[in-house]
Amino acid sequence: MARTTPATRKTSGTRQGPEILRIAPALTPAEAAEFSPAMAFVNPSVGYSDRRKSKPIGLAYVMAYLRSHGLESEGFDFGGALREPELLAAEHRLDTYDIVGFSVYNESADNALRMAAWVKERNPAALVVLGGPHATAVAGHLVVAHPQVDLVVRREGEEPMLEIARRVAARRPVTGVLGTTWREPSGEAASREDPPFIEDLDSLPFPDARFTSDSGYPTLTYFDDVSGRLKPALTVNTSRSCPYNCSFCGVLTIGRRYRTRSPESVVEEIGYFRKRDGIPYQHIYFSDANFYVNPRRSLAVVEAIHAYDPGITVSFGTRVNQILRSEDILARMKEIGLRFVELGIESASPTMLERLAKGVSPQVNVDAVRTLQRLGLEIVVDFIMFDPATTLADLRLNLSFLRRLGFYDYVPHEAIYTTLVLYQGTPIREFYERRHGRVFAPNELPDIVGLYENDDVAAVAAGMRWFRRAWQPAIDTALADGELCAEKWRAGGRTGDHLSQLQLDLVALRHVPYLYMQHLVEVAGTGLPVAEEEYGAHLPTTGAPRTALPELIARVRESVGDEHLDRDPSLLTRFA
């Protein structure tokens, strides 16, 4: 697609129709070729690199929807980029597009605004559109305080973006589209009401969009312990939103109207991407905010996939209370390919669960975990260890929960590091604004390090941040290499003391981060160090024989030695 500025793009000037269209009629191929604006959709950097990065599915749906109506666009995914946003915008010539859309999260807001300013400075005629959870939450602020932003698309983006693109092509005003916010000549914000949610998700095209990425995408795989195979994997979304009210969840900003796709549509998408990519995907990661809202519907999806290809395995995320409603369905799903469940536990503290508006007791968390363990299903833990009001009693309850239910063997170790994120537009953010008597800036993502209300908890959190930086990468690598080495030895029939010692050392390595935090909590209040370099004195000795952490890692490395290990990047997290 040729990129030009709107001033040089040819238009008919005769397009007719109502001012606001919910779904505009499709362009003919000839119209699309002559009048379609050059469009770029950008996922800005969140400021850090994530080895588990995946393509931005929201933008992919918008781009695919536009294409289904004859409008092509280009995608740019800088989600894990560490370079300056202006450099990325220049390298990819974002100023040469007629429309530049940014998908904005709280973490990426500043980088999105910097890119938008760079585009506007060089091409004032470009239409800059922001969308996504953060843009939805502060739409009025964005158009008033940031002149580089022309429009904000709130909530779902497919239909508003189609109408915006058509108006640009026809040289019609882009203000007044349903579900958008814009800046009036007076400088004030104005908005149109939200259109109805898209109810028929099966009517949407599959999220087939290609993105230019400066960091690329790791190979998405899943190691199936049952078959002993590393499987090519695909992420599929089968629903939108979630009907629950967790106070910390950014889904609330987009709307709680829960809608689902049919099993047939899901199976068709798997086949579509298998054919497009030439890859026989054998594991499906369901990326729904809550896949298991309706257990029978979820079972129907998994049964349809199993009927399509019995070799496909699946995994999904859900809430604890839903697990207890349908053990028989989970048992059936395990029979036909369910391998693990990502479980939103969040905390073992009743006061923290209340703050998070989970609507469950700690015992429900316990019962849900034991149900999945009884069924032999793996569990991926979603946990929020620290929030500003966390107490030492909360931390003790959390560690006791993790220890009693066997999660000290759990890898990766994210559960003990995770802190609450105060996303814009969430009730928990407003709760802490009231509690601390301050209003966070609209684009600010508050750092809870400065919000801790208990000095001892702040000291424990500081110790865990130090440990994560100083030791977690070495632990991850040693565990991945050690587990692969042990598997290789077992497959080759090797037994004896060396294998036994390696297995003992790997168990000890799994436990170390939990033991370190446990020790910090035990000694909190008795003088935890202030200087980061002093935290090393609290490293645990563990294993058999008991060994300090540096020696334990060295012993695993020595066991692995010169073994040739074919380690896929995803193997750093495959043992979860």
Side-chain angles (χ1 to χ4, degrees):
M1 171 172 39
R3 305 187 216 169
T4 65
T5 63
T8 61
R9 188 172 296 280
K10 182 179 178 182
T11 64
S12 67
T14 60
R15 183 167 302 197
Q16 303 294 320
E19 169 147 359
I20 303 297
L21 299 176
R22 181 157 191 270
I23 301 179
L27 295 175
T28 66
E31 287 178 319
E34 187 173 2
F35 304 122
S36 63
M39 294 183 285
F41 289 97
V42 183
N43 184 39
S45 173
V46 297
Y48 58 87
S49 180
D50 186 351
R51 65 172 177 260
R52 288 163 288 183
K53 172 184 173 184
S54 59
K55 296 179 182 179
I57 193 169
L59 286 181
Y61 266 109
V62 170
M63 293 170 65
Y65 187 78
L66 293 173
R67 186 189 310 115
S68 72
H69 287 77
L71 294 163
E72 292 294 336
S73 59
E74 296 182 53
F76 298 91
D77 183 9
F78 307 132
L82 300 179
R83 290 192 291 155
E84 294 296 307
E86 294 85 357
L87 294 178
L88 291 168
E91 179 180 333
H92 297 283
R93 302 174 61 214
L94 296 185
D95 58 325
T96 63
Y97 291 88
D98 302 320
I99 300 174
V100 185
F102 295 90
S103 178
V104 186
Y105 292 83
N106 223 147
E107 297 96 328
S108 63
D110 287 342
N111 284 333
L113 291 168
R114 287 173 61 181
M115 278 188 164
W118 186 93
V119 168
K120 272 292 191 182
E121 182 180 349
R122 286 152 183 80
N123 182 8
L127 183 73
V128 171
V129 184
L130 269 58
H134 181 74
T136 297
V138 292
H141 163 78
L142 289 172
V143 297
V144 170
H146 300 283
Q148 68 269 42
V149 178
D150 297 306
L151 281 174
V152 170
V153 171
R154 307 185 308 273
R155 305 202 310 188
E156 293 178 323
E158 288 91 349
E159 292 176 351
M161 276 309 310
L162 176 60
E163 175 62 13
I164 289 166
R166 291 199 169 151
R167 290 189 180 201
V168 169
R171 298 288 186 88
R172 294 170 55 204
V174 294
T175 56
V177 175
L178 286 176
T180 66
T181 299
W182 63 93
R183 183 175 48 258
E184 293 282 17
S186 65
E188 296 180 345
S191 296
R192 280 297 305 271
E193 68 274 17
D194 294 317
F197 285 111
I198 299 172
E199 294 293 337
D200 183 8
L201 298 186
D202 285 2
S203 69
L204 295 174
F206 303 136
D208 179 3
R210 305 284 189 177
F211 290 88
T212 298
S213 172
D214 71 316
S215 57
Y217 298 96
T219 302
L220 188 61
T221 57
Y222 171 71
F223 184 80
D224 185 5
D225 283 323
V226 175
S227 66
R229 292 194 300 117
L230 191 65
K231 295 181 170 183
L234 179 69
T235 298
V236 175
N237 190 280
T238 77
S239 65
R240 288 192 176 182
S241 196
C242 174
Y244 291 91
N245 286 305
C246 300
S247 65
F248 59 93
C249 185
V251 171
L252 292 177
T253 63
I254 301 297
R256 291 177 55 241
R257 176 66 178 167
Y258 180 70
R259 293 143 292 147
T260 63
R261 294 169 58 191
S262 69
E264 295 77 13
S265 172
V266 175
V267 169
E268 187 180 350
E269 178 175 341
I270 296 169
Y272 176 88
F273 283 107
R274 276 180 156 189
K275 181 177 180 180
R276 188 200 75 170
D277 301 336
I279 299 174
Y281 294 113
Q282 288 291 299
H283 184 83
I284 304 301
Y285 292 104
F286 291 121
S287 61
D288 306 43
N290 189 344
F291 177 77
Y292 207 55
V293 171
N294 182 332
R296 294 199 177 279
R297 176 258 170 189
S298 302
L299 175 60
V301 171
V302 178
E303 285 183 327
I305 292 173
H306 184 70
Y308 166 70
D309 183 346
I312 294 179
T313 52
V314 302
S315 56
F316 64 80
T318 191
R319 289 169 49 95
V320 292
N321 58 307
Q322 292 169 300
I323 294 298
L324 302 181
R325 293 165 43 195
S326 50
E327 184 172 347
D328 58 330
I329 290 179
L330 288 167
R332 170 59 181 158
M333 291 174 77
K334 184 194 175 186
E335 291 176 358
I336 57 175
L338 177 60
R339 289 296 187 260
F340 73 82
V341 176
E342 184 174 351
L343 201 55
I345 295 169
E346 318 311 351
S347 179
S349 162
T351 55
M352 189 164 178
L353 288 172
E354 183 177 354
R355 283 197 297 276
L356 300 178
K358 291 296 293 184
V360 299
S361 68
Q363 188 58 47
V364 173
N365 285 339
V366 172
D367 293 344
V369 169
R370 286 179 173 161
T371 296
L372 294 176
Q373 290 174 336
R374 184 167 56 250
L375 290 170
L377 289 166
E378 292 292 328
I379 303 170
V380 173
V381 179
D382 285 346
F383 217 82
I384 301 175
M385 183 63 73
F386 298 96
D387 85 327
T390 296
T391 65
L392 287 178
D394 294 332
L395 296 181
R396 292 188 189 102
L397 287 171
N398 288 341
L399 288 170
S400 175
F401 171 88
L402 294 170
R403 185 175 59 253
R404 283 188 300 125
L405 292 170
F407 289 118
Y408 273 30
D409 286 318
Y410 180 82
V411 179
H413 297 99
E414 297 301 316
I416 56 172
Y417 298 122
T418 308
T419 61
L420 178 67
V421 181
L422 299 176
Y423 288 118
Q424 180 63 262
T426 58
I428 195 68
R429 181 180 173 116
E430 296 171 1
F431 168 84
Y432 277 113
E433 286 181 329
R434 295 191 301 270
R435 187 177 177 103
H436 287 254
R438 58 174 290 193
V439 176
F440 303 121
N443 294 330
E444 178 185 2
L445 190 60
D447 185 350
I448 76 163
V449 169
L451 299 176
Y452 284 119
E453 300 169 11
N454 182 295
D455 290 342
D456 291 329
V457 170
V460 172
M464 295 310 296
R465 291 194 301 274
W466 170 83
F467 184 87
R468 189 178 197 178
R469 289 194 305 271
W471 288 104
Q472 194 63 55
I475 290 172
D476 287 344
T477 301
L479 281 172
D481 288 344
E483 295 280 6
L484 284 172
C485 182
E487 282 187 8
K488 184 175 181 179
W489 287 356
R490 286 190 292 267
R494 181 171 177 176
T495 59
D497 293 343
H498 287 292
L499 177 58
S500 298
Q501 185 63 59
L502 177 57
Q503 291 172 322
L504 288 172
D505 288 343
L506 292 174
V507 170
L509 266 184
R510 287 170 177 262
H511 291 181
V512 164
Y514 300 101
L515 295 176
Y516 179 70
M517 182 175 179
Q518 183 177 304
H519 174 71
L520 293 185
V521 171
E522 288 171 354
V523 301
T526 63
L528 278 175
V530 175
E532 284 193 349
E533 59 268 19
E534 298 176 17
Y535 278 106
H538 293 269
L539 290 175
T541 58
T542 185
R546 296 187 70 83
T547 308
L549 178 56
E551 287 74 29
L552 183 61
I553 292 175
R555 195 159 68 202
V556 171
R557 288 173 176 166
E558 183 179 355
S559 296
V560 172
D562 296 327
E563 293 283 355
H564 177 70
L565 301 175
D566 184 15
R567 187 175 70 195
D568 184 276
S570 66
L571 294 178
L572 288 173
T573 57
R574 64 170 271 200
F575 300 104

